[in-house]
Amino acid sequence: MDLNLNPKERAFRDEVRAWLDANAPRDWAARRQAEESLNARFTYLRQWQRKLFDAGWAGISWPVEYGGRGASVIEQMIFLEEMARAQAPPMANVIGLGLVGPTIIAFGSARQKQAYLRKILSAEEIWCQGFSEPNAGSDLAALSTEARREGGYFVVNGHKCWTSYGWVADRCELLVRTDPAAPKHKGLTALLVDMHSPGIEVRGLRQMSGECEFSEIFFRDVRVPVEDVLGEVNDGWRVAIGTLAHERGTFGAALHVTYRRNVNRLVELAREMGRDGDALVRQKLAQCYAEIEIMRFNQMRAFSRIKETGVPGPEGSIQKIFWSELNQRLQQVAMEILGPYGQLAQGAEDAIDGGEWAYGYLRSRGNTIEAGTSEIQRNIIGHFVLGLAKSY
Amino acid sequence: MQFGLSESQRILKENARRFFASECPMSEVRRIAQTETAHDEALWRKMAAQGFPGVVIAEEAGGLGLGHVELAALAEEMGRALAPGGFLSTITAAAAIAAAGSRQYLAGIAAGTVKATVAFLESSASWDPEDVKMRGLTGEKRFVPDAATADFLVVATRESGELALYLVPRGALQITAMPALDLTRRLYKVRFENAGGDLLARGEAARRALERAFDVATVALCAEMTGGMQKMLDIAVEYAKTRKQFGRPIGQYQAVQHACADMLLWTESSRSAAYYAAWALDSASPPEASMAVSIAKSYASDACREVGNRAVQIQGGMGFTWENDTHFYYRRAKASEIAFGDAAYHRERIARMVFDQRLAGTTAG
């Protein structure tokens, strides 16, 4: 048990920190407030990722042969924390880096690894994840997008939704049904699909917070070469579980930095508003502070385990529940402290912090739904961690 | 960075688990809980033979000289087994003595020949050292754990306005039981009338020694609470797997299954916080360690209560019976929630550090 960084990890952190000090753009926070087209903003993020890639900061824990750094998940965690501390813009290819890439590393063919991994790191090809459908959300294995084999191709027809980055993606890790006669988990296949193929139509999905982070995607006779099957045909469920484990287990790695910054800001605001002596406010802020730290401790434990086992396990669902429900509590505490000012949105003259709190409050509602609802996470813990009978 | 027990720490923990499983099974806990003091001298001697009371006492003073992570690992197993008696009381006193720079009684404690406790709370029941009002060695202390079996007490008192700590032999003190929920760790009222004792520390040194001792004891308590939570979770999950209603195991129903998932989340999070704080006691600055301790205790206090509530509820009528073991853990959980300050007390301690001192940054990273 040693929670200090070892000399190698410390040297790595210092190197990241120094590089970010010298190179991270400082205008990201202001830019998010500014009126700017989604495309212009995304181009900016893409260029930023390219700069990180050129400096060797993309794919910290990926193998060197695919353009990664070959370091451990601990270094990966340190890097994400430093990015959050520097308030650096996120990398453009979030899904590629966090979900699809690690899945290709685990299940992909030699050709797929050569063809796709490096371009994920350099942001030359942006990825999305085509899993959910209108009638297959929590019950993902019930999906009905189908792929029929025709010679050297699979021909895909169907409809995906809640696809983050769908509107800008070059490629998609797509989960489809290839054997309608098999039990629902056994007839699925993962395909790596070129989003510029004929027959693909992408539409934006506007959220309650006002933005269009998600898309829905329609597939009409889209031809995917057989060599782009990820893993084995009809073994797509295992591939999907691998992807989802990354989503739950490691995605929240640096959130404690952002949450802590939010609480520090709330402490400042409470002081400015003369509420820092209010026992109730103190209790609630201290509760947030404690829970953020505990989220960080849980994260350190989880990453130490992943370093030993190589892959995130079902206990990653604890992390997912923790970060999503904590953010909702935190945003509610913010609303209570700010009082009537909390509701003022971006553009309002008297809005505090440019309306970030009103936005954050709405956006946090999605946290317990995206990446697997809290109910599904509790099913996973109940069955796969505690060994209780499947409830569904 | 490695957040997990080392090989030797794992062995220590497994040995402790085996020890308590064989020397202190639930049948023994029930027997000891029904004795007058909930202390069993034979069990204590066996624990001492394992070196348990001296786990963090320096080797020069006769202890094992291990760290607080080892103490936490041991305490977690004691919590799982619901080991009764004055272990926590004794290590609290030992921590106060060591933190005051003294070695008095430490060899005896490590050898198992001396047991001790700390007499702190008064009628105000405040955990704040500022609220210690007793003058010299005359007055009354309340909620003193295991006083009836302690050989001496570390007594917090006030002399010329300054906090002072005295080592007072139990000898002629007037000790009265305060019957309470927890049957495995007894509380007493202790009356002092011009008692004799040795000065341990005064003023700032006394305040620091007391704060350190409470931090050490609180970490051990948080680890113990984690062990208790784990046991209540195990009991509830086992029941949910075997108890059938409407033709299915009740654990298959999401209302029950999700309650079990919450219990796991609270238990694991309490565990992370307890071990982080244990590590911080050895490896971080005193304010950072105190912060980690308050984070752990504020969380575990709420968590152990909620885990207990779920454990009883999931077992239905069976969980409410005397025959079922859960209530012994449930009783301990409430006592532990209160001991060394409840969640609200520790949240205010965090708030003081956040608002008033603005402890910035994080220790790791």
Side-chain angles (χ1 to χ4, degrees):
Chain A
M1 179 112 170
D2 182 6
L3 305 183
N4 283 317
L5 301 181
N6 68 32
K8 201 168 135 244
E9 291 161 349
R10 197 169 312 129
F12 175 82
R13 182 200 58 191
D14 293 344
E15 197 188 338
V16 178
R17 197 170 279 183
W19 190 90
L20 287 172
D21 271 350
N23 294 283
R26 316 225 174 262
D27 60 344
W28 174 240
R31 216 177 165 110
R32 271 192 310 169
Q33 298 269 340
E35 291 292 328
E36 182 180 36
S37 76
L38 272 176
N39 271 319
R41 191 173 300 171
F42 199 80
T43 303
Y44 166 89
L45 294 179
R46 221 166 169 153
Q47 286 163 351
W48 165 233
Q49 184 175 338
R50 177 71 203 205
K51 190 168 176 181
L52 284 161
F53 172 72
D54 289 340
W57 299 120
I60 304 289
S61 60
W62 290 24
V64 176
E65 53 181 316
Y66 308 124
R69 205 178 173 96
S72 80
V73 289
I74 305 295
E75 272 98 349
Q76 174 70 23
M77 182 183 85
I78 293 168
F79 174 75
L80 294 171
E81 287 177 347
E82 288 303 320
M83 284 275 281
R85 280 205 179 100
Q87 293 188 258
M91 293 209 233
N93 211 356
V94 175
I95 305 292
L97 288 162
L99 307 183
V100 182
T103 312
I104 293 178
I105 291 170
F107 294 96
S109 66
R111 188 201 65 82
Q112 289 166 349
K113 290 175 186 174
Q114 285 306 331
Y116 301 133
L117 291 175
R118 192 174 292 269
K119 289 180 180 171
I120 288 176
L121 297 180
S122 64
E124 267 172 272
E125 289 182 349
I126 302 300
W127 283 75
C128 66
Q129 174 200 10
F131 281 23
S132 296
E133 297 180 2
N135 290 315
S138 291
D139 186 7
L140 178 61
L143 61 85
S144 60
T145 294
E146 54 152 27
R148 273 176 297 107
R149 181 77 185 257
E150 275 183 22
Y153 291 88
F154 278 100
V155 180
V156 179
N157 280 285
H159 177 191
K160 295 287 177 180
C161 59
W162 317 121
T163 314
S164 302
Y165 303 93
W167 59 278
V168 74
D170 301 294
R171 294 189 182 274
C172 175
E173 180 190 343
L174 184 69
L175 200 57
V176 295
R177 185 162 303 286
T178 39
D179 184 355
K184 64 179 180 180
H185 293 89
K186 303 241 165 91
L188 303 176
T189 299
L191 299 175
L192 303 175
V193 179
D194 182 347
M195 288 291 286
H196 306 293
S197 309
I200 293 180
E201 186 196 344
V202 181
R203 295 182 201 156
L205 255 176
R206 196 169 158 90
Q207 308 148 209
M208 70 188 276
S209 53
E211 322 129 288
C212 295
E213 285 175 287
F214 304 112
S215 306
E216 51 185 339
I217 310 177
F218 299 86
F219 297 85
R220 288 185 195 90
D221 292 327
V222 176
R223 295 171 76 79
V224 182
V226 168
E227 60 182 19
D228 276 327
V229 169
L230 180 58
E232 302 293 323
V233 172
N234 294 328
D235 196 28
W237 186 248
R238 205 161 63 92
V239 177
I241 291 297
T243 302
L244 294 173
H246 284 285
E247 187 171 32
R248 298 178 196 121
T250 58
F251 229 46
L255 284 174
H256 67 89
V257 180
T258 313
Y259 290 9
R260 171 78 87 89
R261 184 180 303 119
N262 286 342
V263 165
N264 287 347
R265 177 69 184 136
L266 283 176
V267 168
E268 250 173 50
L269 288 168
R271 195 176 288 126
E272 283 169 20
M273 300 172 95
R275 299 196 64 187
D276 57 327
D278 180 330
L280 205 52
V281 167
R282 291 169 73 86
Q283 285 283 315
K284 289 187 174 186
L285 282 172
Q287 175 74 18
C288 289
Y289 189 92
E291 289 195 75
I292 293 165
E293 280 293 89
I294 289 170
M295 181 171 87
R296 181 170 74 90
F297 306 156
N298 279 342
Q299 203 87 247
M300 290 164 83
R301 254 177 94 198
F303 273 77
S304 296
R305 208 178 302 128
I306 294 169
K307 192 179 173 186
E308 278 178 14
T309 61
V311 285
E315 65 280 357
S317 289
I318 292 177
Q319 307 292 97
K320 168 68 201 349
I321 294 174
F322 208 115
W323 71 252
S324 58
E325 297 186 355
L326 173 56
N327 195 37
Q328 292 176 350
R329 289 193 288 274
L330 205 154
Q331 296 293 341
Q332 171 58 23
V333 169
M335 282 291 165
E336 290 172 27
I337 290 173
L338 301 180
Y341 286 98
Q343 66 195 316
L344 293 180
Q346 187 180 341
E349 195 183 340
D350 301 310
I352 290 167
D353 298 331
E356 281 282 328
W357 298 103
Y359 165 77
Y361 176 74
L362 277 185
R363 183 61 187 84
S364 73
R365 269 303 113 198
N367 292 161
T368 48
I369 300 166
E370 60 198 334
T373 63
S374 290
E375 289 72 22
I376 285 295
Q377 308 299 344
R378 287 184 168 87
N379 285 345
I380 291 166
I381 293 171
H383 178 63
F384 292 99
V385 182
L386 295 175
L388 295 164
K390 255 189 186 167
S391 62
Y392 46 92
Chain B
M1 196 274 290
Q2 170 59 33
F3 197 142
L5 297 181
S6 69
E7 190 56 24
S8 63
Q9 289 163 340
R10 211 169 298 165
I11 289 168
L12 178 137
K13 189 163 184 285
E14 281 163 15
N15 282 344
R17 185 179 298 190
R18 271 197 297 275
F19 173 86
F20 288 106
S22 77
E23 302 299 335
C24 188
M26 209 54 209
S27 54
E28 271 296 280
V29 174
R30 281 176 177 264
R31 183 188 66 75
I32 296 168
Q34 281 162 48
T35 63
E36 203 185 326
T37 58
H39 169 79
D40 186 74
E41 192 60 22
L43 175 63
W44 181 258
R45 286 285 153 85
K46 285 183 207 159
M47 286 169 60
Q50 298 286 318
F52 294 165
V55 64
V56 291
I57 293 176
E59 280 181 278
E60 309 89 80
L64 296 182
L66 297 170
H68 291 92
V69 173
E70 282 85 353
L71 174 62
L74 178 59
E76 185 185 338
E77 291 308 324
M78 294 182 70
R80 182 195 290 266
L82 201 64
F87 177 83
L88 188 65
S89 306
T90 300
I91 64 142
T92 312
I97 292 168
S102 167
R103 279 197 191 173
Q104 205 172 342
Y105 292 120
L106 291 184
I109 287 173
T113 53
V114 173
K115 295 182 294 296
T117 189
V118 175
F120 177 78
L121 288 182
E122 299 175 0
S123 60
S124 70
S126 164
W127 291 98
D128 189 340
E130 293 302 309
D131 292 331
V132 169
K133 298 277 189 276
M134 185 166 124
R135 298 288 168 92
L137 289 176
T138 296
E140 189 181 88
K141 290 288 182 181
R142 293 185 181 176
F143 309 100
V144 183
D146 307 297
T149 48
D151 296 293
F152 73 91
L153 297 80
V154 175
V155 183
T157 184
R158 202 160 286 283
E159 277 187 338
S160 321
E162 277 193 327
L163 190 69
L165 295 179
Y166 275 87
L167 299 173
V168 180
R170 176 170 54 97
L173 299 176
Q174 189 194 325
I175 291 174
T176 320
M178 298 178 83
L181 286 179
D182 186 1
L183 305 176
T184 59
R185 184 175 285 151
R186 300 297 175 79
L187 301 175
Y188 299 88
K189 202 181 270 192
V190 182
R191 183 87 215 151
F192 299 83
E193 299 286 352
N194 282 318
D198 299 333
L199 179 72
L200 179 63
R202 65 188 310 153
E204 183 59 16
R207 200 194 54 76
R208 273 204 206 136
L210 198 57
E211 188 169 33
R212 176 71 179 179
F214 281 5
D215 278 350
V216 168
T218 305
V219 164
L221 180 60
C222 288
E224 203 189 84
M225 291 159 91
T226 302
M229 283 185 245
Q230 184 68 56
K231 180 70 180 187
M232 288 193 280
L233 169 62
D234 292 346
I235 291 173
V237 166
E238 185 52 35
Y239 187 85
K241 282 177 184 173
T242 49
R243 168 72 174 173
K244 286 190 177 153
Q245 286 291 275
F246 305 104
R248 284 197 251 168
I250 60 168
Q252 197 168 359
Y253 300 110
Q254 290 188 349
V256 173
Q257 192 168 119
H258 290 187
C260 292
D262 283 333
M263 291 167 80
L264 181 78
L265 186 147
W266 293 323
T267 303
E268 288 297 347
S269 300
S270 299
R271 183 173 282 131
S272 299
Y275 281 94
Y276 184 93
W279 172 83
L281 281 179
D282 290 327
S283 310
S285 72
E288 282 172 328
S290 292
M291 177 64 110
V293 168
S294 281
I295 286 169
K297 185 60 166 60
S298 67
Y299 190 87
S301 290
D302 287 337
C304 75
R305 180 187 64 244
E306 291 305 325
V307 167
N309 288 342
R310 302 298 187 284
V312 173
Q313 183 68 24
I314 287 168
Q315 296 176 86
M318 281 310 296
F320 192 60
T321 61
W322 184 271
E323 179 193 340
N324 188 292
D325 291 338
T326 309
H327 74 97
F328 286 98
Y329 286 91
Y330 190 80
R331 290 161 175 272
R332 169 73 73 84
K334 178 50 81 180
S336 300
E337 180 188 340
I338 296 164
F340 300 107
D342 63 7
Y345 172 84
H346 283 278
R347 281 195 291 263
E348 174 53 28
R349 196 170 176 231
I350 292 167
R352 275 204 298 273
M353 293 189 245
V354 175
F355 281 121
D356 311 331
Q357 292 169 28
R358 309 199 66 192
L359 187 85
T362 51
T363 42

